[in-house]
Amino acid sequence: VTGWGTPFTVFFNKTVKVENHARGGRSTRTFISENRWQPIASALKEGDYVFMQFGHNDEAKEPQYAARYTSPEDYRKNLIRFITETRAKNANPVLVTPVSRRKFSSEGKALETHIEYSGVVAELATEYKVPLIDLDTRSRALYESFGPENSKLLFNVSEPGANPQFPSGANDGTHFSEYGARLLAELVLDEMKKLNLDLMKRVVNQEAK
């Protein structure tokens, strides 16, 4: 399985160093408690960009995920901390709504899976004047363009024996295949272009989607 941060590195020229600090299973709360945020904040330099995408694990209310669950109120406070500490170093925060899970209605419409938490991100973007990449909305449009069946190609979905990493098969509507991650990274780049971020001057191929 792959996140969009992995293929994201290939879009930029040698003047840009992409550091992907995403870790599976982390919420804003555990990212802080495991001391994953502080080293990032401490190392920031003027002009750096920090793309912040959380939500999947913050909203996990099932009993087995209690250690990572973060209420919308605390999620909001944690993101505000990330924004303010990034700006304190004269670096640039960019908020990214949580990418949608793969879930379709019986009519083939991609359903919203992060309503509450994506809403918090959008509110903060307005309140703190932070550039917003609405990957939740863009990813659902992508899934719909593929349809309920073909969208499985974007995810960690395989029949038993087809993928040596998952010999018993996989039906994972959250984590991406390498192909899916690449397409998601292209959506992020497209949104960056619309925002006219200064970072776009350092993209290898500005005609990339």
Side-chain angles (χ1 to χ4, degrees):
V1 295
T2 311
W4 62 261
T6 304
F8 197 59
T9 58
V10 304
F11 296 146
F12 301 95
N13 64 30
K14 288 186 173 64
T15 67
V16 174
K17 180 185 178 186
V18 177
E19 293 186 2
N20 183 4
H21 291 275
R23 290 294 178 272
R26 270 54 176 203
S27 61
T28 54
R29 183 163 64 82
T30 57
F31 203 77
I32 292 168
S33 67
E34 293 178 8
N35 198 37
R36 294 179 182 276
W37 168 249
Q38 197 53 54
I40 297 169
S42 299
L44 284 175
K45 295 181 176 61
E46 183 175 353
D48 285 349
Y49 281 80
V50 182
F51 288 74
M52 307 168 182
Q53 183 188 59
F54 290 89
H56 285 81
N57 299 296
D58 293 83
E59 71 183 2
K61 289 183 178 176
E62 297 85 353
Q64 67 268 36
Y65 300 131
R68 64 180 72 160
Y69 174 74
T70 312
S71 70
E73 295 75 23
D74 286 341
Y75 176 69
R76 176 185 169 84
K77 287 176 192 168
N78 293 338
L79 287 175
I80 290 170
R81 174 180 170 178
F82 297 160
I83 292 165
T84 53
E85 292 187 4
T86 297
R87 283 181 166 164
K89 292 294 194 79
N90 293 313
N92 304 291
V94 179
L95 286 168
V96 186
T97 55
V99 62
S100 183
R101 301 179 198 272
R102 180 183 163 275
K103 190 175 182 182
F104 283 87
S105 70
S106 54
E107 292 82 34
K109 182 174 175 58
L111 298 172
E112 288 190 65
T113 58
H114 304 295
I115 296 172
E116 198 170 13
Y117 287 75
S118 286
V120 170
V121 178
E123 286 167 15
L124 288 177
T126 301
E127 191 176 332
Y128 285 80
K129 296 182 171 55
V130 179
L132 175 69
I133 293 174
D134 189 0
L135 201 54
D136 190 348
T137 299
R138 289 295 305 266
S139 60
R140 279 184 280 120
L142 177 68
Y143 307 161
E144 279 190 19
S145 73
F146 274 76
E149 191 58 35
N150 286 338
S151 59
K152 291 177 182 177
L153 296 169
L154 307 175
F155 288 87
N156 178 29
V157 177
S158 61
E159 297 296 323
N163 185 339
Q165 274 188 293
F166 302 93
S168 301
N171 187 21
D172 179 349
T174 297
H175 301 99
F176 295 101
S177 62
E178 288 185 16
Y179 176 55
R182 169 71 191 210
L183 294 189
L184 263 293
E186 288 181 2
L187 292 182
V188 173
L189 189 68
D190 188 51
E191 289 298 302
M192 289 169 59
K193 193 174 182 180
K194 289 179 185 175
L195 290 167
N196 200 25
L197 295 185
D198 203 49
L199 194 55
M200 290 303 295
K201 294 173 185 170
R202 298 166 186 253
V203 171
V204 173
N205 175 14
Q206 297 224 25
E207 294 309 307
K209 291 178 187 174

